[in-house]
Amino acid sequence: MKPLSPVGPAQRALRTVCLGVLVLTGLAACSSGAKKPQPVDLPPVAALMGTQLAWTAQVGAAHEAIAPVVASGRVFAASSSGTVAAIDGATGKDVWRLNLGTGIAAGVGSDGQTAAVITLSNHVVAVSEGRELWRVRLPARSFTAPLVAGARVFVLSADRTVTAFDARNGARLWVQSRPSEPLVLSQGGALLAVGDTLVAGLSGRLVGLNPANGSVRWEAPIATPRGTNEVERLVDVVGPVSRIGDSVCARAFSAAVGCVDAARGTVVWSRPAQGTTGVHGDDRLVFGADAEGRFQAWQRASGEPAWSIDRLKYRGLSAPLALGRVVAVGDSSGLVHLVSREDGSEMTRLSTDGSPIVVAPVLSGDSLVVQTRNGGLYAWRPQ
């Protein structure tokens, strides 16, 4: 797949909606026609904390629906051309690497043993120790990385269907379907395990499912569709989400940010917010960027704003990663910004290969790991 040219959050959001239209309605084109606002120049790096580049690796060019995942000390990563790799999180060396022979639409999911991706031909493929275990065709496209947990592979499809497969042989165990809607996002959604509940983002809701049979345990709306047309009413939950214990906080596309008590299946709070990328957080705060790149923090318990910074506006920010006293967020120029969790002030700034960082950073042991659009993996450790 040809890498997409860098775009800002607003343009990326509109492109995502347009691709969602293409999925279900077959429209041929969509364009904003507006000139992208330019970010202001960054000041010299503050360098208030020390970091050291631990290792780098290359997996091949990727896109927004392909993100690395960490499990059992390994970083599982993929490329849009079909490569899936397990990389030692301590050294950056390949544990195994496999080319599936077909493009990848979404991934990676892994429990440390089995890795799963979705191909462009609508197959979910499971791999273990560099060997393909099975592949099963899906009835609809998927833009969300599979979840591998409890010896099962769970898939969230663009038609609002959740399907469970046996991780050993690909046998279909159950299917939970929802009525299809005119528009969906070609963007990763929410699919995670919280205790013994499978939580999926369906439209603007987080829905708790029984992982054994797919029955619905609860539904909690992050946002309610409003507006006079289908685009305005699009409120899909986007990933990644932030989970601390039973608290799951998420963003509904260009509508709201909210937190849900997954033990009770109730909304704790929901606040209007215009962002298009996922959120992350810790036990006190939830972090995310709005559509213009204004980086914000909310109180996890109440949703009250904690702080907001403007200096990263129009930089095409990724979803963030909260780690200790800092929050990491990538941008469209390949920079990783580490800001203070307390007030958003700059702590340091890290460079990659110059291509956009469009997916959230991940934590592998004590290393911060990012994947760039050109396929570079970079890992830093604190000094």
Side-chain angles (χ1 to χ4, degrees):
M1 177 179 290
K2 182 180 178 181
L4 299 173
S5 58
V7 294
Q11 286 74 21
R12 185 167 61 223
L14 181 57
R15 186 188 68 208
T16 304
V17 174
C18 295
L19 290 176
V21 173
L22 285 172
V23 171
L24 295 184
T25 67
L27 296 181
C30 187
S31 174
S32 67
K35 183 178 180 181
K36 182 178 71 172
Q38 296 301 305
V40 298
D41 293 334
L42 293 170
V45 62
L48 298 180
M49 66 176 294
T51 60
Q52 179 180 15
L53 184 63
W55 53 262
T56 65
Q58 174 63 230
V59 292
H63 51 74
E64 288 93 336
I66 299 178
V69 66
V70 176
S72 301
R74 298 175 176 181
V75 179
F76 294 86
S79 72
S80 55
S81 63
T83 296
V84 183
I87 295 169
D88 188 301
T91 66
K93 304 295 184 182
D94 278 9
V95 178
W96 55 258
R97 183 174 291 235
L98 177 67
N99 193 307
L100 298 178
T102 184
I104 294 176
V108 181
S110 181
D111 61 356
Q113 298 299 318
T114 302
V117 297
I118 309 294
T119 71
L120 292 175
S121 57
N122 293 356
H123 288 84
V124 53
V125 182
V127 178
S128 180
E129 300 303 324
R131 180 176 63 90
E132 182 176 322
L133 298 178
W134 49 265
R135 65 174 65 193
V136 174
R137 184 170 179 82
L138 301 170
R141 296 179 66 182
S142 175
F143 306 105
T144 301
L147 173 68
V148 185
R152 292 170 181 158
V153 176
F154 301 97
V155 173
L156 172 62
S157 303
D159 62 354
R160 309 297 199 279
T161 295
V162 181
T163 308
F165 300 91
D166 189 311
R168 297 167 299 177
N169 54 28
R172 186 176 281 103
L173 302 176
W174 55 259
V175 177
Q176 171 63 250
S177 297
R178 288 298 181 93
S180 60
E181 297 179 12
L183 297 183
V184 296
L185 293 176
S186 58
Q187 183 172 334
L191 191 62
L192 69 154
V194 182
D196 65 347
T197 298
L198 175 67
V199 178
L202 299 175
S203 297
R205 298 170 175 265
L206 289 177
V207 179
L209 305 173
N210 183 337
N213 57 25
S215 61
V216 176
R217 289 176 170 168
W218 51 260
E219 297 190 18
I222 300 296
T224 301
R226 296 178 180 177
T228 59
N229 58 60
E230 292 165 350
V231 173
E232 291 176 348
R233 294 175 60 82
L234 184 63
V235 292
D236 271 345
V237 172
V238 298
V241 302
S242 173
R243 179 209 167 187
I244 301 291
D246 291 327
S247 171
V248 179
C249 301
R251 182 188 297 280
F253 179 85
S254 199
V257 170
C259 289
V260 168
D261 184 333
R264 300 179 178 181
T266 57
V267 178
V268 178
W269 59 267
S270 179
R271 177 176 290 272
Q274 291 299 311
T276 61
T277 56
V279 299
H280 202 252
D282 55 27
D283 59 346
R284 283 184 47 218
L285 298 171
V286 178
F287 309 97
D290 70 11
E292 293 184 339
R294 182 180 295 104
F295 200 61
Q296 302 169 274
W298 299 268
Q299 298 288 344
R300 190 178 199 100
S302 65
E304 290 299 314
W307 51 258
S308 175
I309 58 173
D310 291 338
R311 68 176 183 275
L312 301 180
K313 286 179 67 174
Y314 310 121
R315 292 197 167 274
L317 298 183
S318 72
L321 172 71
L323 61 167
R325 63 192 181 102
V326 300
V327 184
V329 61
D331 73 15
S332 61
S333 65
L335 295 175
V336 182
H337 305 269
L338 300 186
V339 304
S340 167
R341 71 186 289 276
E342 299 300 330
D343 58 10
S345 58
E346 183 180 74
M347 301 299 290
T348 194
R349 197 182 308 149
L350 309 170
S351 298
T352 61
D353 57 18
S355 66
I357 299 169
V358 294
V359 296
V362 294
L363 185 64
S364 176
D366 62 351
S367 297
L368 168 69
V369 180
V370 301
Q371 182 174 354
T372 69
R373 179 172 283 164
N374 284 351
L377 286 167
Y378 294 79
W380 294 270
R381 296 192 181 103
Q383 288 183 323

